[in-house]
Each structure stands twice: as structure tokens, then as C-alpha cells.
Amino acid sequence: MTGEAARVRQMWHLLEPLHAVLYYAPEAFREAAALGYDTEERWASYFAWRAAPLGAAGADEVVRTFHSFAPAAVARYVPASWATAPPQAVLAARLRAVDRSYRALFGDRRVEGAGFAEAAALARRAAESTTPGALGALGPANSALPWPDAPHLALWQAATVLREHRGDGHIAALQAAGLDPVETLVSFAAVGAARPEVFASRGWGEQEWGAARRRLQERGLLAADGTATEAGRELRAKVELRTDEEAAAPWRALGEEGRVRLAELLGEPWLEIIGSGMLPGENTLGIGKV
């Protein structure tokens, strides 16, 4: 990994937990329940929270932009999500959810303090340097939303723009590598990112998973025991490197001094989120403790 790629990946690691509290915080589930979503499991609110910037997206659009979910898994929630609450109501509720979640995690004085304000200004500068429409849909859709006035909410929105911009680039890298959605997950599990069982949440059945394994074996990317061959590891490494390269522009625009300062400011909140135990230790993202 080049020096720039390592720096870009470091910023992803630091920002991802700040974004992901929306999908796991108790306060977010309470906001989702107030909208009318079933909160016995997290997927009804997850699809609504994440897809709302796209508008009243249909299942096909969500399958395409989210990439790794089986169509049947998406169809259980989309477009029914918008019958429960329209996208504009969901967008307003997700900011309330983040406000409540951040205040519970960090306290009122912290979220209203100078550190969060400085971090928000730096992260927003980076987020505003993403290229609209260059790679996919979720980054631009979040970029087009109005910026919240409160610094802690602006920080969350910047983290969201940057992670979805990176995600759009990641999908482009996977497609360039010839990996379809289920092959993406099989190959990721094969390099030890997480156990195959962890990826069951994406909704692919045993037959689909097995067929993807066979396709990857035919390409020489997977061994008989389901682990990645050297060629398979090399391909995944190329995907991750290209992802970092596609995500680099905002950090170049911010500059090294700004990036380093933002990393310093994010260190303590990152530790507090990880230390809270809110986020799963084993996950489909491939980043530690998120």
C-alpha cells in the first residue's frame, strides 16, 4: 500500500464509526420506531436511513447502489419503506437520531465544543471536494443535501458523504475486477475479512453462495476449501487499492496539514464509539471493530 493509500484508508477507519452510529444506536432505533418502522431487527430502518437521500427509490435502484444485498432481501423493505415514512421525513429523523446518539455518546458540552466545530469544518471541506456523479449515486445524493447548522451534525453528514463517495468508488473497483455482488462477499470472506456466516445478513442463499464459490474457483481465485488463492488475494488487494485511489481526491483537496489535524480531532471520538460496544466487532466492512 502506498503512503497516500494508507492515509486515505486511515481517514476511512476514523470516519466510518462516526457515520455508522445511525444504524446501531438505541436513540436511532427510537427515532425509527417513532416514524413507524419495525425495530425488532435493524434492516427496516437501515434501508430507510441509507436510501432516503435517493428519494423514493425502488428496489432495483437500491440493489444497484448498495451492491452487496440480494434482490430478495432488498424487496422485503423497499419500496415499502416509503409507505411507512416519505424520504424527507426520514432525512429529518436521521439528523434527530444522530443528534440524540452523539449527545448520549459524547455529552452536550463535547458536541457543542470547539473540537467538534473544528472537525466539522475540516471534514466538510473534504466532503465538498468529492466529484458529483463521477462514480455512483449515493455519494452525490448525500452531497446534494443541505448542510445542518449544528457542527456535530455537519460532521456526521461530512462523514456520510465521504463514506458513500468511497463506497461508490469501491463498487466501481469491484465491477472493474469482474466481481458481481455475491462474488464480492465470497471473495471478501475468503481473504479472512469475516466469517461467511457474517455475510448472511446480505440475503444470499446457500445455492447462490455455492455457485459464486464455483465461479471464483474456475477463475483460479478460490481454493477448494473456500480460502483465497494467491491470485484471489492479489485481486482483492487491487480492488482495495483502487478504492483508496478513488477516495483520495477529497484528502488531496484538504491538504496534509488539514488531514492530520482532522485525524487528531477524530481520535478520541473514535475510541469512545468503539469502546461503547455499540458497533459489532465482526462485520462486513473489513475494518476493525466496526
Side-chain angles (χ1 to χ4, degrees):
M1 190 189 306
T2 66
E4 181 180 59
R7 292 189 291 272
V8 170
R9 199 171 301 185
Q10 178 201 25
M11 299 312 296
W12 168 50
H13 277 249
L14 288 168
L15 286 164
E16 181 68 26
L18 284 171
H19 164 79
V21 297
L22 179 64
Y23 309 131
Y24 295 99
E27 295 79 11
F29 283 110
R30 285 194 282 273
E31 286 289 345
L35 288 175
Y37 290 104
D38 178 5
T39 56
E40 287 299 311
E41 44 84 54
R42 74 184 186 95
W43 295 112
S45 58
Y46 170 85
F47 282 104
W49 293 140
R50 193 172 174 216
L54 298 170
D60 288 347
E61 185 176 4
V62 172
V63 167
R64 184 174 65 255
T65 55
F66 285 29
H67 184 70
S68 65
F69 286 89
V74 174
R76 283 199 290 272
Y77 304 101
V78 180
S81 294
W82 316 128
T84 302
Q88 285 302 318
V90 175
L91 290 171
R94 72 179 194 167
L95 289 178
R96 293 195 300 270
V98 172
D99 177 59
R100 294 176 63 186
S101 301
Y102 275 24
R103 290 181 185 278
L105 280 163
F106 308 121
D108 291 348
R109 289 183 63 185
R110 286 275 305 289
V111 300
E112 295 170 6
F116 267 71
E118 185 182 359
L122 290 167
R124 179 172 174 174
R125 278 173 51 197
E128 288 180 331
S129 300
T130 58
T131 306
L135 297 169
L138 282 170
N142 281 278
S143 294
L145 297 175
W147 285 93
D149 293 328
H152 64 294
L153 299 182
L155 176 59
W156 178 83
Q157 183 152 314
T160 300
V161 170
L162 290 162
R163 73 93 66 177
E164 296 294 16
H165 171 72
R166 180 186 177 90
D168 289 342
H170 187 56
I171 292 170
L174 291 163
Q175 291 171 337
L179 295 172
D180 68 25
V182 65
E183 291 167 356
T184 291
L185 302 181
V186 173
S187 65
F188 206 27
V191 298
R195 291 172 297 117
E197 293 82 359
V198 176
F199 295 97
S201 64
R202 296 305 190 251
W204 299 101
E206 290 184 13
Q207 275 192 318
E208 294 159 316
W209 190 272
R213 285 184 63 168
R214 289 190 292 274
R215 291 195 299 273
L216 293 176
Q217 287 169 352
E218 290 168 2
R219 291 175 61 183
L221 302 175
L222 213 65
D225 64 357
T227 60
T229 61
E230 183 176 348
R233 290 185 175 279
E234 287 178 359
L235 185 65
R236 283 301 315 201
K238 287 179 182 177
V239 166
E240 302 308 324
L241 179 58
R242 177 167 174 174
T243 300
D244 292 326
E245 290 169 348
E246 297 285 6
W251 305 113
R252 292 179 193 141
L254 183 62
E256 186 63 5
E257 183 178 346
R259 187 199 66 79
V260 169
R261 178 57 179 158
L262 179 57
E264 291 172 353
L265 291 165
L266 295 179
E268 191 171 345
W270 185 91
L271 286 171
E272 290 178 88
I273 294 173
I274 299 305
S276 73
M278 177 189 301
L279 307 181
E282 190 177 13
N283 60 85
T284 60
L285 296 170
I287 110 177
K289 299 288 184 184
V290 176

